[in-house]
Structures are given as structure tokens and as C-alpha cells.
Amino acid sequence: AVRLEPALAGYAGRMAGAVHTPSESAADCRQLCEQLAALLAARGAELRYDTEVLGFERQGDAVTGLRTAAGLLQAEHYVLASGWESPAHARQLGLRIPVYPLKGYSITVDIASDHRQAAPRVSVTDTARKVVFARLGERLRVAGMVEIIGRDTRIDPARIDSLRRSTQQVFAQLPLQGSLHPWSGMRPATPTGLPITGRQRGGPRNLWLQTGHGALGLTLAFGSAQRLVAQMHAA
């Protein structure tokens, strides 16, 4: 493990072993989404940010419009992909979906040029601490925790401190300088761990769900989208 990831050398005496997955990779979610948005806009998509959804217009077994603070939006098909808030939107159409927010935390450590070797380049999952360390360019993203506390999005300082301590213990040579960029996010989870995709029984024929991916939203995003597009073409 230390040969593959030299940054673990100082922690080697406390490791029983490791599993290496050569195909595993890490991505900057925000950067990916920003570049995807730019690509979609270049292809003619209209992206509306900060637009509050007020409700749906429905006629028979079909959705005929989406009421927003900026006016009525109309389309042939509608995809509901609003993460942990999907159940509230689905209820407006008479659908009950078992999606609940599981709250997670992360910190992002800026890596100084003279300490690059102290930070891992291989994604590391500490199974004892339930913490993931992922290198994103000149930053290290440290994520973990699960809280079942409903709609509370506040950042608990104790959770951030726990991630900081884990980082110091595993990568002792990496100085934690400046802001840790604390963050919390709500993972839209289902009881089975499987996402909810496609049309739903009892729902409008032109409404498609894409939610409940839990902590694997980015991992499953493109595959889920391809699958949904295929279903829509076949309908």
C-alpha cells in the first residue's frame, strides 16, 4: 500500500492491509457540473438558476406545465431530479416516494507546493473511520459522516473537527493551513439503497423520476441519464 501511495508511510504501522482498485478515480463535482452546463448551453439548452418551483399544471394523466416564480414552463416530458427535496415535489402529483436526506460532511484542504508529497494521489478510504480522502488537483477533499436528522443543513463544528483530526492522524506530514472550507450536504437515500428512476405507477405518463442515488449521485449520474433517455425514447 505504501509503495502505491507513499503518503501513507507514516501510518503504515497502524494498517492491517489494503485493497487497491486501479480503476477508481475522483472528480471535482462542481467543476464537472459547471463544464457540463456550459456544454449544454452551447448546444441550445436553456438553464434557469434561482427559479423557485411553485407547482404543476396537470390535465388527465399528463403534466401540462411547471409553475415557477418566473412563469409557466411547458414541455413534452418532465424529469423530477430534485434530490432530497424530490418527495415534496412528488406529493404535489399524488406520488409518495421513499427518499430521505442523509447528511454528510466534508472539508477541503489546500495543498502547499512544498507539501505535495504529503498528500495522497490515490483515493483512500479509511474503513475504520468511515472517511474518504480524494485528491482533486492541488486540494484534498476529506468526506464522511452520516446524520439522520431530517432537513437540518447546518454545519456541526464537531463533525468538521473530527474530519480534521482524521486527516492529521492518517497524513501527519500534511499541514492543515488556512480555511478547511467546511461543507455539509444531504444525500437523497432510499431504504434499499437503489435509486428511483423512470415513470411511476399512478403518476403522470410524461413524468420521469431520477432521484434517490444516495452518496453515489455523481458516480451513477451519467449511467442513470443514459438509461432514462433510452426509456423515454421507447415510451
Side-chain angles (χ1 to χ4, degrees):
V2 173
R3 180 177 57 80
L4 292 169
E5 181 46 76
L8 288 170
Y11 195 66
R14 301 176 62 181
M15 293 170 55
V19 175
H20 181 223
T21 308
S23 62
E24 185 168 323
S25 59
D28 185 322
C29 304
R30 176 168 180 164
Q31 188 176 38
L32 186 150
C33 290
E34 288 175 346
Q35 293 185 8
L36 178 60
L39 177 63
L40 291 172
R43 293 185 177 182
E46 184 176 342
L47 306 174
R48 301 200 178 189
Y49 299 105
D50 300 316
T51 302
E52 182 183 4
V53 174
L54 303 177
F56 299 89
E57 299 287 341
R58 184 172 179 175
Q59 185 173 356
D61 65 346
V63 176
T64 56
L66 180 68
R67 288 185 283 109
T68 76
L72 185 68
L73 302 178
Q74 293 182 300
E76 293 182 17
H77 295 274
Y78 299 80
V79 178
L80 176 56
S82 51
W84 63 283
E85 295 187 329
S86 296
H89 294 142
R91 279 196 297 271
Q92 298 180 45
L93 293 168
L95 292 173
R96 295 182 62 85
I97 56 175
V99 172
Y100 187 88
L102 298 182
K103 186 177 181 180
Y105 291 87
S106 80
I107 60 175
T108 303
V109 179
D110 295 320
I111 303 171
S113 58
D114 55 342
H115 288 94
R116 289 174 180 168
Q117 302 306 314
R121 290 202 170 275
V122 175
S123 294
V124 175
T125 299
D126 187 326
T127 56
R129 293 182 174 85
K130 305 294 189 293
V131 173
V132 174
F133 302 90
R135 182 73 173 265
L136 302 173
E138 298 306 307
R139 296 171 295 150
L140 180 66
R141 176 73 45 78
V142 184
M145 314 289 182
V146 172
E147 289 183 343
I148 305 176
I149 55 175
R151 301 176 65 87
D152 185 352
T153 60
R154 292 174 297 179
I155 296 178
D156 184 347
R159 299 294 191 182
I160 300 303
D161 190 57
S162 176
L163 292 175
R164 179 189 59 79
R165 291 197 309 272
S166 293
T167 306
Q168 289 179 324
Q169 290 167 3
V170 179
F171 303 104
Q173 302 303 312
L174 178 65
L176 303 185
Q177 301 172 337
S179 172
L180 296 180
H181 308 290
W183 179 88
S184 71
M186 312 299 263
R187 309 176 183 119
T190 65
T192 63
L194 298 176
I196 300 173
T197 65
R199 289 190 292 194
Q200 301 299 300
R201 181 178 299 178
R205 58 177 170 78
N206 60 342
L207 176 74
W208 306 80
L209 267 62
Q210 188 73 294
T211 188
H213 294 73
L216 297 175
L218 180 67
T219 305
L220 302 178
F222 292 95
S224 291
Q226 289 179 326
R227 183 173 182 268
L228 187 65
V229 168
Q231 291 177 347
M232 294 172 74
H233 281 306

